[in-house]
Amino acid sequence: MKILLFTHEQDIDGLGCAILANASNLEYELVLCKTFELDEKINIEYDKESIYSYDKIIVTDLCPKKDTLEKISKDKRLCQKFQVLDHHKTAEAFNSYDFVTVVSEHDLIKESGTSLFYQYLKNNHLIMDNPVLDEFVELTRQYDTWDWYKNKNDLARKLHIIFETQGINYYLTMIKRIISSNSRVLD
């Protein structure tokens, strides 16, 4: 399955989705987006028509604006391939689109883009349960939702500090190395 993944580049939650795509061994192309670049980047792929060459187009930790969602929903070929997975309450109104799933909380636990994408990959048999991934996803979720503060989970905060001080490339490489070695996160 060939996937085009759009995700948020400005925090560990969006990057967590990129790490999960890599861990799943999917054939994918990654498009990292700043908060207000998503619609522009989707439209670039749409205008080039390269977007139709993918089996699935997934947006994580962000949600397109209504104009873009309308364009997608009116394109029968495209809307069948599209999946938006977001956790921001501001996007909940867009759950009316069949290809949009916005869940801010489930069973009294706040969701993150990474936790939603992990569940999506597991539900679609695209990734296997893995204790290292489970830990990574939970640390990312806790940091992104501020549960780390309530739970006094300093490991989640350390993940973010590594991202902030070392940058995207180091962070992605470090986490991929941890996952491939099957060791605990920040052991």
Side-chain angles (χ1 to χ4, degrees):
M1 181 182 302
K2 187 176 174 186
I3 293 178
L4 180 59
L5 175 63
F6 293 91
T7 196
H8 196 202
E9 75 175 20
Q10 294 172 293
D11 66 11
I12 64 172
D13 189 26
L15 294 177
C17 299
I19 289 163
L20 290 174
N22 184 265
S24 70
N25 294 316
L26 290 170
E27 181 186 347
Y28 73 98
E29 286 190 40
L30 179 64
V31 180
L32 295 174
C33 305
K34 289 182 173 51
T35 302
F36 300 106
E37 293 178 339
L38 175 62
D39 294 274
E40 177 187 345
K41 289 191 175 189
I42 289 173
N43 284 317
I44 288 169
E45 296 295 326
Y46 188 84
D47 292 343
K48 292 189 308 188
E49 295 190 5
S50 59
I51 205 160
Y52 294 103
S53 67
Y54 296 93
D55 299 311
K56 200 78 175 158
I57 299 99
I58 301 175
V59 177
T60 58
D61 196 34
L62 294 166
C63 188
K65 293 179 184 163
K66 185 174 177 93
D67 291 347
T68 303
L69 293 171
E70 279 297 310
K71 183 192 304 189
I72 294 164
S73 72
K74 290 177 181 172
D75 185 326
K76 294 302 175 205
R77 279 191 330 170
L78 194 56
C79 75
Q80 293 174 351
K81 297 178 178 212
F82 236 88
Q83 180 64 59
V84 177
L85 300 167
D86 194 14
H87 66 105
H88 298 100
K89 284 183 181 261
T90 54
E92 286 180 342
F94 299 129
N95 270 328
S96 59
Y97 293 93
D98 291 340
F99 54 91
V100 175
T101 302
V102 180
V103 181
S104 58
E105 190 174 288
H106 180 72
D107 291 336
L108 301 177
I109 296 173
K110 295 175 193 166
E111 294 287 355
S112 70
T114 300
S115 63
L116 291 173
F117 189 47
Y118 190 43
Q119 202 56 50
Y120 173 85
L121 291 171
K122 290 191 304 186
N123 289 346
N124 288 283
H125 310 288
L126 299 170
I127 201 167
M128 300 298 292
D129 258 331
N130 174 314
V132 175
L133 288 177
D134 292 344
E135 180 186 26
F136 168 72
V137 169
E138 180 58 15
L139 290 173
T140 301
R141 187 202 66 76
Q142 282 193 37
Y143 184 80
D144 198 61
T145 63
W146 282 85
D147 280 354
W148 73 270
Y149 187 77
K150 178 179 70 175
N151 299 336
K152 297 178 179 25
N153 187 342
D154 221 28
L155 278 181
R157 188 172 147 265
K158 285 179 182 177
L159 271 182
H160 173 72
I161 290 170
I162 291 167
F163 165 71
E164 281 293 319
T165 60
Q166 303 301 312
I168 291 173
N169 291 332
Y170 179 86
Y171 182 78
L172 290 172
T173 303
M174 179 202 73
I175 298 297
K176 286 177 189 175
R177 192 172 54 246
I178 289 169
I179 291 169
S180 66
S181 70
N182 209 23
S183 58
R184 291 202 59 224
V185 177
L186 299 176
D187 212 2

